[in-house]
Amino acid sequence: MDANVIDGSAVSAGLRARLERELATLRRSGGAPGLASVVVGEDYAAHAYERRLRRLAESVGCRFQAERLPADIEEADALATVGKLNADPRVTGILILRPLPPQLSETALYATLDPLKDVEAVHPVNAGLMARGTPRFVPSTPASCFWLLDDYLRRSGRDPLGWLRGRTVVIVGRSHNVGKPAVWLALDRGAVVIDCDEHASAAGRLGAFTRQADVLVVAAGVPGLVTADMVADGVIAIDVGINAVPDRATGGVRLVGDLDFDSVATRAEAITPVPGGVGPVTDVWLVRNTLLGAVLQQTDLSIRPWPSP
Ligand code: NAD
């Protein structure tokens, strides 16, 4: 079987056009989105992502602010940076990039975020809203997986919501920002959901689970983790992984996903490539969440359905 290769760049262009229309509407009502990223230390991938986001945000007229903190920063100072961004009305979305150095608690940083600016839904309140199926923000990476999937199903004549009901979605990876929210999105669609992490691999059982997938989402950060023998014929395979591996042809590095693309493509109905699959959609989604943050800031939250006496 020759898989349909899902073109993430084309889907991302459509989402960007929608974002630009929505931004025009927001501006007419006086709103202005602003995205702030927080990078701690000198991680190459985090800096590259920050630069990419700046280019995208500024190209659609969204303010962008990069906070670069030293690798040895004390936790109190990192928390103070988040507090400063919370208090800045020009900032409507805050993204804390990983990896974080060991002296910083990811849990503490996430809990300090203003939930109304927490565009990746990592604050406990937003994660809870997401888990119960009423998200305030849908985190960009899992959102992009399902945006691509829905788009592919629609183009191939299927109703995305109906088609997933009762089908098996297998997620590989269980992080707070990708794997778990992907599970919640699949549950919302009425799918039967299996989530595997590194323990399934260590137990030698990963393939036993991934072979059950009608839809497979892989987000482990392990190059070529899933091979053809680990999938069923006709699977729709979404690859979140971005891994830099040595490129023998050039002597440099190249990016690959968590799927062994060439072999899985021989069995899959459809597959996302790396690069050019989930990544480009994720970036646009994040800026769109920043726009949603601006909409939330415009809303007078002191007006409540049940006012205090
Ligand atoms: P993470 O390290 O926080 O989590 C990885 C998860 O995968 C963990 O639950 C871990 O238990 C599991 N895992 C690790 N090895 C495994 C194995 N051998 N078998 C099964 N499960 C295993 O990473 P993350 O932030 O969730 O990111 C995952 C990957 O996705 C990385 O490659 C990252 O670069 C990439 N990523 C891509 C995008 C995008 O837009 N395309 C966005 C975010 C992350």
Side-chain angles (χ1 to χ4, degrees), residues 3 5 19 21 28 31 34 41 56 75 78 85 102 115 120 136 176 213 219 271 282 296-297 300:
V5 178
L19 167 68
R21 287 194 300 275
R28 279 197 293 278
L56 171 66
E75 187 167 81
L85 296 173
E120 283 294 70
R136 175 183 278 146
H176 292 306
I271 186 167
T282 303
L296 287 173
Q297 283 210 3
D300 187 344

Side-chain angles (χ1 to χ4, degrees), residues 98 141 172-175 177-178 196-198 201 206 219-222 225 240-243 278-279 282:
R98 296 184 306 157
T141 309
V172 180
R174 200 173 286 172
S175 63
N177 54 328
V178 188
C196 309
D197 73 354
E198 64 208 69
S201 282
L206 188 64
V222 180
L225 175 66
V240 177
I242 302 177
N243 310 291
V278 174
T282 303

Side-chain angles (χ1 to χ4, degrees), residues 46-257:
H47 280 270
Y49 188 39
E50 179 215 271
R51 284 193 298 274
R52 213 169 69 220
L53 278 177
R54 175 186 290 282
R55 268 199 306 277
L56 171 66
E58 292 181 348
S59 73
V60 295
C62 170
R63 185 176 178 277
F64 186 87
Q65 172 176 344
E67 294 288 339
R68 294 186 171 182
L69 308 180
D72 61 354
I73 190 167
E74 305 262 343
E75 187 167 81
D77 294 330
L79 295 176
T81 299
V82 175
K84 181 187 80 173
L85 296 173
N86 285 343
D88 187 341
R90 298 169 304 172
V91 174
T92 65
I94 305 171
L95 171 71
I96 299 175
L97 284 161
R98 296 184 306 157
L100 295 171
Q103 78 277 13
L104 299 186
S105 151
E106 185 178 292
T107 308
L109 275 171
Y110 288 173
T112 305
L113 283 165
D114 178 345
L116 299 180
K117 299 186 179 187
D118 169 31
V119 279
E120 283 294 70
V122 289
H123 185 283
V125 166
N126 289 328
L129 286 170
M130 178 87 204
R132 72 167 204 189
T134 53
R136 175 183 278 146
F137 294 106
V138 183
S140 58
T141 309
S144 304
C145 296
F146 281 86
W147 189 258
L148 284 166
L149 175 64
D150 289 358
D151 182 78
Y152 173 74
L153 290 172
R154 219 174 282 114
R155 282 174 198 276
S156 52
R158 286 165 280 190
D159 160 33
L161 295 181
W163 188 82
L164 274 172
R165 279 185 208 128
R167 285 200 158 76
T168 306
V169 175
V170 179
I171 318 269
V172 180
R174 200 173 286 172
S175 63
H176 292 306
N177 54 328
V178 188
K180 282 183 190 166
V183 166
W184 298 327
L185 289 177
L187 290 174
D188 285 348
R189 286 163 160 73
V192 176
V193 185
I194 298 173
D195 180 47
C196 309
D197 73 354
E198 64 208 69
H199 300 299
S201 282
R205 304 200 62 218
L206 188 64
F209 295 117
T210 54
R211 273 189 289 276
Q212 297 179 51
D214 295 300
V215 173
L216 177 64
V217 177
V218 189
V222 180
L225 175 66
V226 174
T227 48
D229 58 309
M230 296 167 70
V231 299
D233 285 330
V235 68
I236 300 176
I238 313 279
D239 195 347
V240 177
I242 302 177
N243 310 291
V245 296
D247 185 351
R248 281 194 213 101
T250 64
V253 292
R254 64 192 176 97
L255 295 181
V256 299

